Amino acid sequence: MSDTRSYSSLTQSVQDTSSYVGFANLPNQVHRKSVKKGFEFTLMVAGESGLGKSTLIDSLFLTDLYPDRVVPTAQDRIKRTVQLDANTVEIEERGVKLRLTVVDTPGFGDAIDNTDSFQQIIKYIDQQFDRYLRDESGLNRKNIVDNRVHCCFYFISPYGHGLKPLDIDFMKQLSNKVSIVPVIAKSDCLTMAEIKRLKVRILEEINAAGIKIYNLPDVDTDEDEEYKLQVAQLRESIPFAVCGANAMVEIGGKKVRGRQYPWGIVDVENPEHCDFIKLRSMLITHMQDLQEVTHDVHYENFRSERLARGGGGATSKPAEAGRTDQKDQMLAEKDEELRRMQEMLAKMQQQIKQQSSTNLAAYNN
């Protein structure tokens, strides 16, 4: 009787196995491969000096990217030009590795005349696109390092009544090259009512100027309600009003990352105090989408323009190199042929001399 039960269970297992192929395991394979390879992300931070860009980045990723930074004096800023400072750090969390590159723009907006101050930034973004295009067109395409700028946090001063002309020019020039996320810096100096009015004003000016900022992708209908609500809240929070803090303060016996004021403590990770948590949530949950937008939209636009102009530096340089190698080879063959002919001519002259000497000796005899 027991043998019958074991046979029937074995038959059942065989039937179950026969209807199971195994491709449902593919996502696990992709997951393991991605975790093993690690992830790359490049974030650019732009805005005037003194808006807390470095502090916010350190707060977002719990790291210290600028330990030895020297703050320039007002006299130094007069002569200072826009520079680009790229810092790369390897971050690991629960076995997942992230190669984070933060591109800072010290000197932006510091000069008296800021006309075309964003040209260096545009040049840097194009250089990274061009570099990726060359690597993609090369022989070794397996180990391409992606240094393209995937996202740009643009910091807006909280002390004005909206956007400055420099803010509008910058975002308008870069909106077709990188995904821009507007950020209201040092929002702890504003009341909640002032933040709300400033957000409305900034969005109105962005729309009036025809600036394309990063829009969160639409949520699929089969997603759970909690995720839909989270995305809706993130959409409503743009532009994000944030403040950063590297110091730990104590609130009710609990250590939090915040700022101590005479009137109280600002907890940067409290959603009621600022949008820091929302900004971090947006960046982490949509990091893959930001990379896809960079590759499928901004990079493809750059690549199409280059190819339309005759290939640009990426395809013309290999072709020129090939033509140069071919010319060198032809010249080498010509030199070799000339050398052989000279040797043959020398041999013939030697033979003629020997024959003449022999004939002369025979004649004398």
Side-chain angles (χ1 to χ4, degrees), residues 134-321:
R134 284 201 308 270
D135 292 344
E136 200 177 41
S137 307
L139 295 175
N140 186 13
R141 300 177 58 188
K142 254 186 183 179
N143 303 315
I144 297 178
V145 179
D146 187 5
N147 287 317
R148 297 172 297 178
V149 181
H150 301 112
C151 180
C152 175
F153 284 173
Y154 186 75
F155 286 69
I156 301 166
S157 174
Y159 307 119
H161 298 285
L163 297 175
K164 298 178 181 178
L166 179 62
D167 301 332
I168 294 174
D169 286 344
F170 177 90
M171 288 192 283
K172 189 180 287 187
Q173 292 289 334
L174 269 75
S175 60
N176 292 323
K177 294 182 176 294
V178 66
S179 299
I180 295 176
V181 177
V183 174
I184 300 173
K186 295 191 172 182
S187 64
D188 50 335
C189 68
L190 300 172
T191 65
M192 289 300 173
E194 289 172 338
I195 290 174
K196 193 173 181 180
R197 285 197 300 269
L198 185 58
K199 284 187 175 187
V200 173
R201 180 71 180 270
I202 289 172
L203 287 178
E204 287 175 352
E205 292 178 346
I206 285 175
N207 294 329
I211 298 169
K212 293 181 289 185
I213 60 174
Y214 175 67
N215 290 318
L216 299 179
D218 295 330
V219 182
D220 295 333
T221 54
D222 57 348
E223 293 284 356
D224 57 2
E225 294 300 322
E226 185 179 351
Y227 180 70
K228 291 180 181 177
L229 180 62
Q230 180 188 4
V231 172
Q233 289 175 347
L234 293 178
R235 276 205 188 97
E236 293 171 359
S237 300
I238 298 174
F240 298 95
V242 299
C243 61
N246 292 330
M248 302 297 289
V249 294
E250 189 171 337
I251 302 178
K254 182 183 177 184
K255 292 279 188 179
V256 296
R257 191 177 294 270
R259 303 178 72 88
Q260 178 82 53
Y261 291 100
W263 44 263
I265 296 174
V266 174
D267 180 4
V268 298
E269 296 185 355
N270 188 339
E272 295 181 0
H273 291 187
C274 68
D275 295 333
F276 175 85
I277 288 292
K278 293 177 182 178
L279 177 64
R280 186 168 67 185
S281 176
M282 184 281 300
L283 183 64
I284 299 303
T285 57
H286 292 84
M287 190 173 281
Q288 183 66 32
D289 184 67
L290 285 164
Q291 290 176 325
E292 290 174 0
V293 170
T294 300
H295 185 79
D296 298 339
V297 180
H298 303 304
Y299 172 68
E300 281 303 316
N301 290 340
F302 174 86
R303 182 172 172 274
S304 301
E305 289 176 7
R306 277 298 167 93
L307 294 177
R309 292 207 309 254
T315 53
S316 63
K317 285 184 179 178
E320 289 172 4

Side-chain angles (χ1 to χ4, degrees), residues 11 31 33 53 64 75 112-113 120 129 137 143 149 153 165 198 212 218 250 274 286 330 341:
T11 307
H31 172 75
K33 190 175 180 181
K53 301 187 294 292
D64 188 7
Q75 187 68 27
I112 297 173
D113 182 10
Q120 288 289 347
F129 281 151
S137 307
N143 303 315
V149 181
F153 284 173
L198 185 58
K212 293 181 289 185
D218 295 330
E250 189 171 337
C274 68
H286 292 84
M330 291 174 64
M341 291 179 67

Side-chain angles (χ1 to χ4, degrees), residues 48-171:
E48 298 177 13
S49 298
L51 293 180
K53 301 187 294 292
S54 305
T55 304
L56 181 69
I57 295 302
D58 289 345
S59 304
L60 278 173
F61 297 101
L62 303 177
T63 184
D64 188 7
L65 282 173
Y66 312 99
D68 303 320
R69 166 160 290 187
V70 178
V71 179
T73 62
Q75 187 68 27
D76 295 335
R77 289 178 183 173
I78 293 175
K79 303 175 183 178
R80 197 178 190 189
T81 57
V82 180
Q83 301 171 345
L84 285 104
D85 183 15
N87 289 280
T88 302
V89 62
E90 299 276 351
I91 303 174
E92 185 171 351
E93 184 181 68
R94 296 181 183 177
V96 180
K97 296 179 182 178
L98 173 65
R99 179 180 173 272
L100 174 69
T101 302
V102 178
V103 183
D104 200 356
T105 55
F108 176 78
D110 288 348
I112 297 173
D113 182 10
N114 289 304
T115 308
D116 297 336
S117 60
F118 42 76
Q119 290 301 327
Q120 288 289 347
I121 300 173
I122 293 175
K123 183 180 177 182
Y124 178 85
I125 295 173
D126 285 344
Q127 283 175 347
Q128 303 313 311
F129 281 151
D130 190 52
R131 181 179 174 183
Y132 190 87
L133 181 58
R134 284 201 308 270
D135 292 344
E136 200 177 41
S137 307
L139 295 175
N140 186 13
R141 300 177 58 188
K142 254 186 183 179
N143 303 315
I144 297 178
V145 179
D146 187 5
N147 287 317
R148 297 172 297 178
V149 181
H150 301 112
C151 180
C152 175
F153 284 173
Y154 186 75
F155 286 69
I156 301 166
S157 174
Y159 307 119
H161 298 285
L163 297 175
K164 298 178 181 178
L166 179 62
D167 301 332
I168 294 174
D169 286 344
F170 177 90
M171 288 192 283

